[in-house]
Amino acid sequence: MIHIYPAHERFESNHGWLQSYFSFSFAEYFDQKNMNFGPLRVFNDDIIAPQRGFGAHPHQEMEIVTVVLKGQLEHRDNLGNHRIISFGEVQRMTAGTGIVHSEMNPSTTEEVNLLQLWFLPETYGLTPSYEQISYDVENMKNRLLPIVSKKQAGEQVAYIHQDITMYLSDLENNQQLTFQQQEGRRMYVFVIEGELVLNDDTILQRRDAARITDITRLHITANIDSRFMLIDLP
């Protein structure tokens, strides 16, 4: 089954310096029926003003993945990591038994737009850790490029403590991809830009999401040049 979650139905939180769209219950938004999709617990689409951000704050028992779509994000944590992330990079943070970090927009002029995803870990009590990898954006063209995975190891794939694989793709107009999956698993599709058709009859527009179950073969067609994320989940 393919369940569509239109962009306009996401919860919007606007604090002036921070504009967020929540796909699942988070912060001031709570819906008992919309807590997670498998181990995917949080999917936030954030826009942060220049020179603003989140001061030092703690996390525990969560795998946190950040993908910057536009601009830059500055990360600091109590493990001693200090990094800048931009498009073409992905950050994975294992909160485990406890980590403290900050996230700031270092630019004086440009907003940063990022996607932040939280996954429930397979195992609790993990040692906190941080990883940031770069991937070749050109390899997203008309293919599914894995950027985070437990099973698909590589220098351009961040490791995560959960049985998921996250893909990014730039699919050109009228091009098609097919994703084959084992029975009993889930798929989550999020359109970053453009418009997609799933299995020839379900249309997803910009920032729409699809939660997919009981389907092992997914055909994805671009109606216009499109960028999207696909997550393979247990």
Tab-separated table of all heavy atoms in Angstrom, residues 175-229:
chain	number	residue	atom	x	y	z
A	175	GLN	N	12.548	10.000	-16.974
A	175	GLN	CA	13.372	8.846	-16.626
A	175	GLN	C	12.687	8.032	-15.525
A	175	GLN	O	11.872	8.541	-14.756
A	175	GLN	CB	14.753	9.290	-16.160
A	175	GLN	CG	15.587	9.937	-17.251
A	175	GLN	CD	15.898	8.987	-18.391
A	175	GLN	OE1	16.401	7.883	-18.190
A	175	GLN	NE2	15.559	9.411	-19.604
A	176	GLN	N	13.056	6.753	-15.445
A	176	GLN	CA	12.404	5.856	-14.489
A	176	GLN	C	13.438	5.007	-13.770
A	176	GLN	O	14.458	4.604	-14.341
A	176	GLN	CB	11.400	4.943	-15.206
A	176	GLN	CG	10.610	4.037	-14.261
A	176	GLN	CD	9.604	3.167	-14.995
A	176	GLN	OE1	9.967	2.125	-15.548
A	176	GLN	NE2	8.346	3.592	-14.990
A	177	LEU	N	13.158	4.746	-12.485
A	177	LEU	CA	13.944	3.827	-11.680
A	177	LEU	C	13.018	2.770	-11.094
A	177	LEU	O	11.829	3.015	-10.887
A	177	LEU	CB	14.622	4.559	-10.517
A	177	LEU	CG	15.744	5.544	-10.844
A	177	LEU	CD1	16.121	6.320	-9.591
A	177	LEU	CD2	16.952	4.822	-11.405
A	178	THR	N	13.580	1.608	-10.815
A	178	THR	CA	12.823	0.561	-10.135
A	178	THR	C	13.603	0.119	-8.909
A	178	THR	O	14.803	-0.155	-8.985
A	178	THR	CB	12.582	-0.650	-11.053
A	178	THR	OG1	11.821	-0.229	-12.184
A	178	THR	CG2	11.809	-1.742	-10.317
A	179	PHE	N	12.908	0.079	-7.770
A	179	PHE	CA	13.526	-0.363	-6.522
A	179	PHE	C	12.879	-1.671	-6.099
A	179	PHE	O	11.672	-1.753	-5.936
A	179	PHE	CB	13.352	0.683	-5.426
A	179	PHE	CG	14.036	0.314	-4.132
A	179	PHE	CD1	15.414	0.354	-4.037
A	179	PHE	CD2	13.300	-0.086	-3.026
A	179	PHE	CE1	16.053	0.008	-2.858
A	179	PHE	CE2	13.930	-0.436	-1.843
A	179	PHE	CZ	15.318	-0.390	-1.754
A	180	GLN	N	13.723	-2.701	-5.941
A	180	GLN	CA	13.249	-4.026	-5.538
A	180	GLN	C	13.581	-4.246	-4.066
A	180	GLN	O	14.709	-3.974	-3.630
A	180	GLN	CB	13.920	-5.110	-6.390
A	180	GLN	CG	13.399	-6.512	-6.154
A	180	GLN	CD	12.013	-6.728	-6.739
A	180	GLN	OE1	11.713	-6.242	-7.825
A	180	GLN	NE2	11.165	-7.447	-6.033
A	181	GLN	N	12.613	-4.732	-3.318
A	181	GLN	CA	12.766	-4.866	-1.883
A	181	GLN	C	12.249	-6.229	-1.413
A	181	GLN	O	11.365	-6.827	-2.035
A	181	GLN	CB	11.984	-3.749	-1.187
A	181	GLN	CG	12.207	-3.627	0.307
A	181	GLN	CD	11.302	-2.550	0.892
A	181	GLN	OE1	10.100	-2.592	0.697
A	181	GLN	NE2	11.880	-1.596	1.602
A	182	GLN	N	12.801	-6.701	-0.292
A	182	GLN	CA	12.328	-7.953	0.288
A	182	GLN	C	10.932	-7.786	0.872
A	182	GLN	O	10.536	-6.691	1.275
A	182	GLN	CB	13.286	-8.420	1.391
A	182	GLN	CG	14.669	-8.790	0.917
A	182	GLN	CD	15.568	-9.202	2.062
A	182	GLN	OE1	15.222	-9.037	3.237
A	182	GLN	NE2	16.741	-9.728	1.736
A	183	GLU	N	10.197	-8.877	0.929
A	183	GLU	CA	8.872	-8.844	1.540
A	183	GLU	C	8.964	-8.490	3.019
A	183	GLU	O	9.934	-8.814	3.697
A	183	GLU	CB	8.177	-10.205	1.379
A	183	GLU	CG	7.792	-10.528	-0.054
A	183	GLU	CD	6.987	-11.804	-0.147
A	183	GLU	OE1	6.668	-12.398	0.913
A	183	GLU	OE2	6.665	-12.218	-1.280
A	184	GLY	N	7.935	-7.815	3.510
A	184	GLY	CA	7.858	-7.488	4.930
A	184	GLY	C	8.581	-6.223	5.330
A	184	GLY	O	8.599	-5.876	6.518
A	185	ARG	N	9.178	-5.506	4.355
A	185	ARG	CA	9.880	-4.269	4.674
A	185	ARG	C	9.049	-3.059	4.243
A	185	ARG	O	8.023	-3.194	3.599
A	185	ARG	CB	11.266	-4.254	4.023
A	185	ARG	CG	12.194	-5.312	4.638
A	185	ARG	CD	13.589	-5.250	4.032
A	185	ARG	NE	14.291	-4.002	4.334
A	185	ARG	CZ	14.951	-3.775	5.471
A	185	ARG	NH1	15.006	-4.700	6.422
A	185	ARG	NH2	15.585	-2.623	5.660
A	186	ARG	N	9.523	-1.881	4.619
A	186	ARG	CA	8.835	-0.631	4.328
A	186	ARG	C	9.703	0.247	3.433
A	186	ARG	O	10.927	0.115	3.419
A	186	ARG	CB	8.537	0.143	5.627
A	186	ARG	CG	7.697	-0.581	6.654
A	186	ARG	CD	7.654	0.250	7.939
A	186	ARG	NE	6.745	-0.288	8.945
A	186	ARG	CZ	7.080	-1.150	9.894
A	186	ARG	NH1	8.344	-1.581	9.963
A	186	ARG	NH2	6.204	-1.585	10.774
A	187	MET	N	9.053	1.183	2.762
A	187	MET	CA	9.753	2.221	2.004
A	187	MET	C	9.173	3.582	2.363
A	187	MET	O	7.963	3.712	2.564
A	187	MET	CB	9.611	1.997	0.493
A	187	MET	CG	10.417	0.847	-0.057
A	187	MET	SD	10.101	0.572	-1.827
A	187	MET	CE	8.758	-0.626	-1.763
A	188	TYR	N	10.043	4.571	2.420
A	188	TYR	CA	9.629	5.957	2.654
A	188	TYR	C	10.228	6.784	1.527
A	188	TYR	O	11.446	6.780	1.317
A	188	TYR	CB	10.138	6.440	4.011
A	188	TYR	CG	9.595	7.780	4.451
A	188	TYR	CD1	8.449	7.861	5.233
A	188	TYR	CD2	10.242	8.969	4.117
A	188	TYR	CE1	7.946	9.087	5.663
A	188	TYR	CE2	9.756	10.200	4.534
A	188	TYR	CZ	8.606	10.253	5.307
A	188	TYR	OH	8.111	11.466	5.726
A	189	VAL	N	9.376	7.500	0.792
A	189	VAL	CA	9.829	8.336	-0.325
A	189	VAL	C	9.477	9.785	-0.012
A	189	VAL	O	8.338	10.093	0.363
A	189	VAL	CB	9.180	7.905	-1.648
A	189	VAL	CG1	9.592	8.850	-2.779
A	189	VAL	CG2	9.562	6.469	-1.999
A	190	PHE	N	10.455	10.673	-0.185
A	190	PHE	CA	10.250	12.102	0.076
A	190	PHE	C	10.772	12.883	-1.128
A	190	PHE	O	11.931	12.735	-1.518
A	190	PHE	CB	10.991	12.530	1.340
A	190	PHE	CG	10.842	13.980	1.691
A	190	PHE	CD1	9.687	14.445	2.300
A	190	PHE	CD2	11.855	14.888	1.417
A	190	PHE	CE1	9.537	15.783	2.637
A	190	PHE	CE2	11.725	16.229	1.744
A	190	PHE	CZ	10.557	16.683	2.356
A	191	VAL	N	9.900	13.719	-1.710
A	191	VAL	CA	10.283	14.510	-2.876
A	191	VAL	C	10.894	15.827	-2.406
A	191	VAL	O	10.204	16.669	-1.827
A	191	VAL	CB	9.081	14.779	-3.789
A	191	VAL	CG1	9.517	15.614	-4.996
A	191	VAL	CG2	8.461	13.469	-4.259
A	192	ILE	N	12.159	16.009	-2.654
A	192	ILE	CA	12.843	17.242	-2.282
A	192	ILE	C	12.492	18.351	-3.271
A	192	ILE	O	12.122	19.463	-2.887
A	192	ILE	CB	14.362	17.005	-2.215
A	192	ILE	CG1	14.677	15.961	-1.135
A	192	ILE	CG2	15.110	18.318	-1.940
A	192	ILE	CD1	16.110	15.456	-1.161
A	193	GLU	N	12.594	18.044	-4.549
A	193	GLU	CA	12.196	18.971	-5.612
A	193	GLU	C	11.608	18.155	-6.758
A	193	GLU	O	12.040	17.035	-7.014
A	193	GLU	CB	13.392	19.780	-6.144
A	193	GLU	CG	14.128	20.614	-5.110
A	193	GLU	CD	13.334	21.824	-4.642
A	193	GLU	OE1	12.333	22.178	-5.301
A	193	GLU	OE2	13.707	22.395	-3.600
A	194	GLY	N	10.611	18.724	-7.460
A	194	GLY	CA	10.086	18.078	-8.653
A	194	GLY	C	8.758	17.376	-8.442
A	194	GLY	O	7.979	17.716	-7.541
A	195	GLU	N	8.524	16.363	-9.268
A	195	GLU	CA	7.271	15.604	-9.213
A	195	GLU	C	7.528	14.178	-9.698
A	195	GLU	O	8.125	13.968	-10.757
A	195	GLU	CB	6.203	16.267	-10.080
A	195	GLU	CG	4.860	15.555	-10.037
A	195	GLU	CD	3.798	16.273	-10.856
A	195	GLU	OE1	3.327	17.336	-10.387
A	195	GLU	OE2	3.450	15.790	-11.955
A	196	LEU	N	7.066	13.208	-8.907
A	196	LEU	CA	7.264	11.792	-9.217
A	196	LEU	C	5.932	11.080	-9.386
A	196	LEU	O	4.922	11.497	-8.829
A	196	LEU	CB	8.043	11.102	-8.088
A	196	LEU	CG	9.415	11.640	-7.712
A	196	LEU	CD1	9.961	10.860	-6.520
A	196	LEU	CD2	10.382	11.557	-8.897
A	197	VAL	N	5.987	9.981	-10.127
A	197	VAL	CA	4.857	9.060	-10.214
A	197	VAL	C	5.337	7.709	-9.705
A	197	VAL	O	6.344	7.176	-10.185
A	197	VAL	CB	4.332	8.929	-11.653
A	197	VAL	CG1	3.133	7.977	-11.692
A	197	VAL	CG2	3.940	10.284	-12.213
A	198	LEU	N	4.618	7.145	-8.734
A	198	LEU	CA	4.964	5.848	-8.167
A	198	LEU	C	4.039	4.783	-8.730
A	198	LEU	O	2.813	4.934	-8.703
A	198	LEU	CB	4.849	5.875	-6.643
A	198	LEU	CG	5.625	6.970	-5.901
A	198	LEU	CD1	5.444	6.813	-4.393
A	198	LEU	CD2	7.099	6.959	-6.278
A	199	ASN	N	4.643	3.716	-9.249
A	199	ASN	CA	3.888	2.580	-9.812
A	199	ASN	C	2.802	3.027	-10.773
A	199	ASN	O	1.677	2.506	-10.788
A	199	ASN	CB	3.313	1.718	-8.689
A	199	ASN	CG	4.376	0.855	-8.049
A	199	ASN	OD1	5.535	0.846	-8.476
A	199	ASN	ND2	4.015	0.133	-7.015
A	200	ASP	N	3.142	4.035	-11.581
A	200	ASP	CA	2.340	4.486	-12.728
A	200	ASP	C	1.052	5.220	-12.378
A	200	ASP	O	0.365	5.704	-13.293
A	200	ASP	CB	1.995	3.299	-13.652
A	200	ASP	CG	3.236	2.594	-14.176
A	200	ASP	OD1	4.232	3.304	-14.463
A	200	ASP	OD2	3.228	1.361	-14.272
A	201	ASP	N	0.689	5.334	-11.096
A	201	ASP	CA	-0.609	5.950	-10.820
A	201	ASP	C	-0.656	6.850	-9.578
A	201	ASP	O	-1.688	7.467	-9.307
A	201	ASP	CB	-1.692	4.878	-10.690
A	201	ASP	CG	-1.418	3.877	-9.583
A	201	ASP	OD1	-0.443	4.069	-8.834
A	201	ASP	OD2	-2.179	2.901	-9.463
A	202	THR	N	0.419	6.943	-8.827
A	202	THR	CA	0.413	7.757	-7.610
A	202	THR	C	1.393	8.913	-7.774
A	202	THR	O	2.593	8.692	-7.947
A	202	THR	CB	0.803	6.919	-6.377
A	202	THR	OG1	-0.115	5.833	-6.243
A	202	THR	CG2	0.774	7.761	-5.122
A	203	ILE	N	0.876	10.148	-7.719
A	203	ILE	CA	1.698	11.336	-7.962
A	203	ILE	C	2.159	11.943	-6.644
A	203	ILE	O	1.372	12.135	-5.714
A	203	ILE	CB	0.918	12.378	-8.781
A	203	ILE	CG1	0.599	11.824	-10.177
A	203	ILE	CG2	1.720	13.677	-8.903
A	203	ILE	CD1	-0.251	12.756	-11.021
A	204	LEU	N	3.447	12.235	-6.577
A	204	LEU	CA	4.043	12.935	-5.439
A	204	LEU	C	4.642	14.239	-5.944
A	204	LEU	O	5.456	14.236	-6.879
A	204	LEU	CB	5.157	12.108	-4.796
A	204	LEU	CG	4.816	10.895	-3.945
A	204	LEU	CD1	6.101	10.276	-3.419
A	204	LEU	CD2	3.911	11.265	-2.809
A	205	GLN	N	4.271	15.355	-5.306
A	205	GLN	CA	4.813	16.648	-5.671
A	205	GLN	C	5.853	17.101	-4.648
A	205	GLN	O	6.151	16.391	-3.692
A	205	GLN	CB	3.669	17.656	-5.808
A	205	GLN	CG	2.700	17.293	-6.916
A	205	GLN	CD	1.540	18.252	-7.043
A	205	GLN	OE1	1.085	18.821	-6.046
A	205	GLN	NE2	1.054	18.452	-8.255
A	206	ARG	N	6.384	18.295	-4.859
A	206	ARG	CA	7.466	18.818	-4.030
A	206	ARG	C	7.116	18.743	-2.542
A	206	ARG	O	6.074	19.201	-2.118
A	206	ARG	CB	7.773	20.264	-4.415
A	206	ARG	CG	8.922	20.888	-3.638
A	206	ARG	CD	9.132	22.329	-4.058
A	206	ARG	NE	10.303	22.901	-3.401
A	206	ARG	CZ	10.297	23.478	-2.210
A	206	ARG	NH1	9.153	23.561	-1.536
A	206	ARG	NH2	11.401	23.964	-1.689
A	207	ARG	N	7.988	18.110	-1.769
A	207	ARG	CA	7.905	17.947	-0.315
A	207	ARG	C	6.796	16.989	0.121
A	207	ARG	O	6.545	16.846	1.308
A	207	ARG	CB	7.713	19.292	0.363
A	207	ARG	CG	8.946	20.018	0.931
A	207	ARG	CD	10.251	19.830	0.293
A	207	ARG	NE	11.278	20.610	1.014
A	207	ARG	CZ	12.398	21.064	0.461
A	207	ARG	NH1	12.648	20.845	-0.808
A	207	ARG	NH2	13.289	21.728	1.183
A	208	ASP	N	6.125	16.329	-0.814
A	208	ASP	CA	5.204	15.248	-0.446
A	208	ASP	C	6.010	14.028	-0.018
A	208	ASP	O	7.160	13.843	-0.426
A	208	ASP	CB	4.317	14.846	-1.624
A	208	ASP	CG	3.251	15.876	-1.961
A	208	ASP	OD1	3.088	16.844	-1.198
A	208	ASP	OD2	2.585	15.689	-3.005
A	209	ALA	N	5.382	13.175	0.792
A	209	ALA	CA	6.013	11.924	1.228
A	209	ALA	C	5.057	10.763	0.989
A	209	ALA	O	3.831	10.932	0.955
A	209	ALA	CB	6.395	11.991	2.692
A	210	ALA	N	5.626	9.575	0.840
A	210	ALA	CA	4.843	8.345	0.723
A	210	ALA	C	5.394	7.326	1.706
A	210	ALA	O	6.612	7.117	1.775
A	210	ALA	CB	4.908	7.785	-0.693
A	211	ARG	N	4.492	6.712	2.483
A	211	ARG	CA	4.843	5.607	3.369
A	211	ARG	C	4.293	4.344	2.726
A	211	ARG	O	3.073	4.226	2.527
A	211	ARG	CB	4.271	5.839	4.775
A	211	ARG	CG	4.722	7.163	5.378
A	211	ARG	CD	4.144	7.394	6.768
A	211	ARG	NE	4.275	8.793	7.166
A	211	ARG	CZ	3.908	9.284	8.336
A	211	ARG	NH1	3.366	8.464	9.250
A	211	ARG	NH2	4.041	10.570	8.610
A	212	ILE	N	5.182	3.421	2.410
A	212	ILE	CA	4.837	2.293	1.545
A	212	ILE	C	5.057	0.975	2.276
A	212	ILE	O	6.129	0.733	2.833
A	212	ILE	CB	5.693	2.332	0.258
A	212	ILE	CG1	5.507	3.691	-0.453
A	212	ILE	CG2	5.332	1.185	-0.673
A	212	ILE	CD1	6.509	3.942	-1.553
A	213	THR	N	4.039	0.138	2.266
A	213	THR	CA	4.110	-1.200	2.865
A	213	THR	C	3.514	-2.212	1.896
A	213	THR	O	2.739	-1.864	1.002
A	213	THR	CB	3.341	-1.256	4.191
A	213	THR	OG1	1.974	-0.876	3.963
A	213	THR	CG2	3.960	-0.317	5.233
A	214	ASP	N	3.883	-3.481	2.098
A	214	ASP	CA	3.308	-4.597	1.341
A	214	ASP	C	3.535	-4.480	-0.160
A	214	ASP	O	2.745	-5.000	-0.958
A	214	ASP	CB	1.799	-4.728	1.625
A	214	ASP	CG	1.500	-4.887	3.108
A	214	ASP	OD1	2.204	-5.674	3.765
A	214	ASP	OD2	0.587	-4.209	3.610
A	215	ILE	N	4.606	-3.803	-0.550
A	215	ILE	CA	5.003	-3.700	-1.953
A	215	ILE	C	6.484	-4.038	-2.035
A	215	ILE	O	7.288	-3.497	-1.275
A	215	ILE	CB	4.749	-2.285	-2.511
A	215	ILE	CG1	3.245	-2.007	-2.610
A	215	ILE	CG2	5.416	-2.099	-3.871
A	215	ILE	CD1	2.908	-0.586	-3.055
A	216	THR	N	6.846	-4.915	-2.931
A	216	THR	CA	8.254	-5.300	-3.060
A	216	THR	C	8.932	-4.671	-4.272
A	216	THR	O	10.159	-4.664	-4.351
A	216	THR	CB	8.392	-6.831	-3.152
A	216	THR	OG1	7.638	-7.301	-4.286
A	216	THR	CG2	7.874	-7.505	-1.888
A	217	ARG	N	8.146	-4.152	-5.209
A	217	ARG	CA	8.712	-3.564	-6.422
A	217	ARG	C	8.094	-2.186	-6.653
A	217	ARG	O	6.887	-2.066	-6.854
A	217	ARG	CB	8.443	-4.482	-7.623
A	217	ARG	CG	9.244	-4.136	-8.875
A	217	ARG	CD	8.997	-5.203	-9.953
A	217	ARG	NE	9.734	-4.941	-11.164
A	217	ARG	CZ	10.993	-5.310	-11.377
A	217	ARG	NH1	11.645	-5.954	-10.426
A	217	ARG	NH2	11.598	-5.052	-12.518
A	218	LEU	N	8.926	-1.161	-6.604
A	218	LEU	CA	8.447	0.208	-6.748
A	218	LEU	C	9.046	0.833	-7.999
A	218	LEU	O	10.255	0.943	-8.138
A	218	LEU	CB	8.838	1.037	-5.520
A	218	LEU	CG	8.322	2.475	-5.481
A	218	LEU	CD1	6.801	2.499	-5.316
A	218	LEU	CD2	8.993	3.264	-4.363
A	219	HIS	N	8.160	1.263	-8.918
A	219	HIS	CA	8.576	1.985	-10.123
A	219	HIS	C	8.449	3.481	-9.851
A	219	HIS	O	7.400	3.951	-9.406
A	219	HIS	CB	7.709	1.600	-11.323
A	219	HIS	CG	7.777	0.153	-11.687
A	219	HIS	ND1	8.851	-0.401	-12.345
A	219	HIS	CD2	6.904	-0.851	-11.464
A	219	HIS	CE1	8.636	-1.699	-12.527
A	219	HIS	NE2	7.463	-1.993	-11.997
A	220	ILE	N	9.500	4.226	-10.134
A	220	ILE	CA	9.529	5.664	-9.871
A	220	ILE	C	9.818	6.380	-11.182
A	220	ILE	O	10.857	6.153	-11.815
A	220	ILE	CB	10.608	6.020	-8.833
A	220	ILE	CG1	10.409	5.205	-7.553
A	220	ILE	CG2	10.590	7.516	-8.531
A	220	ILE	CD1	11.584	5.295	-6.592
A	221	THR	N	8.902	7.259	-11.604
A	221	THR	CA	9.046	8.020	-12.840
A	221	THR	C	9.025	9.508	-12.517
A	221	THR	O	8.220	9.959	-11.708
A	221	THR	CB	7.909	7.696	-13.822
A	221	THR	OG1	7.856	6.286	-14.050
A	221	THR	CG2	8.136	8.402	-15.153
A	222	ALA	N	9.899	10.269	-13.166
A	222	ALA	CA	9.932	11.715	-12.969
A	222	ALA	C	9.089	12.406	-14.033
A	222	ALA	O	9.315	12.214	-15.234
A	222	ALA	CB	11.372	12.224	-13.020
A	223	ASN	N	8.117	13.219	-13.606
A	223	ASN	CA	7.333	14.031	-14.545
A	223	ASN	C	8.104	15.259	-14.992
A	223	ASN	O	7.878	15.781	-16.085
A	223	ASN	CB	6.009	14.465	-13.900
A	223	ASN	CG	4.953	13.373	-13.970
A	223	ASN	OD1	5.094	12.404	-14.717
A	223	ASN	ND2	3.888	13.544	-13.211
A	224	ILE	N	8.991	15.742	-14.113
A	224	ILE	CA	9.933	16.814	-14.411
A	224	ILE	C	11.236	16.449	-13.719
A	224	ILE	O	11.285	15.488	-12.952
A	224	ILE	CB	9.430	18.188	-13.915
A	224	ILE	CG1	9.145	18.154	-12.401
A	224	ILE	CG2	8.193	18.634	-14.679
A	224	ILE	CD1	8.725	19.494	-11.832
A	225	ASP	N	12.302	17.182	-13.980
A	225	ASP	CA	13.557	16.915	-13.271
A	225	ASP	C	13.285	16.957	-11.765
A	225	ASP	O	12.714	17.929	-11.258
A	225	ASP	CB	14.611	17.958	-13.625
A	225	ASP	CG	15.138	17.806	-15.048
A	225	ASP	OD1	14.801	16.806	-15.710
A	225	ASP	OD2	15.873	18.709	-15.494
A	226	SER	N	13.692	15.896	-11.065
A	226	SER	CA	13.301	15.750	-9.662
A	226	SER	C	14.460	15.262	-8.817
A	226	SER	O	15.316	14.508	-9.287
A	226	SER	CB	12.133	14.759	-9.526
A	226	SER	OG	11.003	15.198	-10.253
A	227	ARG	N	14.442	15.682	-7.562
A	227	ARG	CA	15.386	15.181	-6.562
A	227	ARG	C	14.574	14.579	-5.427
A	227	ARG	O	13.616	15.184	-4.946
A	227	ARG	CB	16.266	16.308	-6.032
A	227	ARG	CG	17.179	15.917	-4.868
A	227	ARG	CD	18.206	17.004	-4.582
A	227	ARG	NE	19.167	17.093	-5.670
A	227	ARG	CZ	19.997	18.106	-5.860
A	227	ARG	NH1	19.960	19.153	-5.033
A	227	ARG	NH2	20.847	18.107	-6.867
A	228	PHE	N	14.941	13.373	-4.992
A	228	PHE	CA	14.147	12.732	-3.940
A	228	PHE	C	15.019	11.842	-3.061
A	228	PHE	O	16.156	11.508	-3.403
A	228	PHE	CB	12.994	11.923	-4.545
A	228	PHE	CG	13.392	10.694	-5.312
A	228	PHE	CD1	13.416	9.432	-4.712
A	228	PHE	CD2	13.748	10.773	-6.657
A	228	PHE	CE1	13.772	8.304	-5.417
A	228	PHE	CE2	14.109	9.649	-7.381
A	228	PHE	CZ	14.120	8.408	-6.753
A	229	MET	N	14.444	11.469	-1.921
A	229	MET	CA	15.067	10.542	-0.984
A	229	MET	C	14.190	9.302	-0.879
A	229	MET	O	12.959	9.403	-0.837
A	229	MET	CB	15.207	11.203	0.398
A	229	MET	CG	15.761	10.292	1.484
A	229	MET	SD	15.833	11.131	3.107
A	229	MET	CE	17.150	12.316	2.794
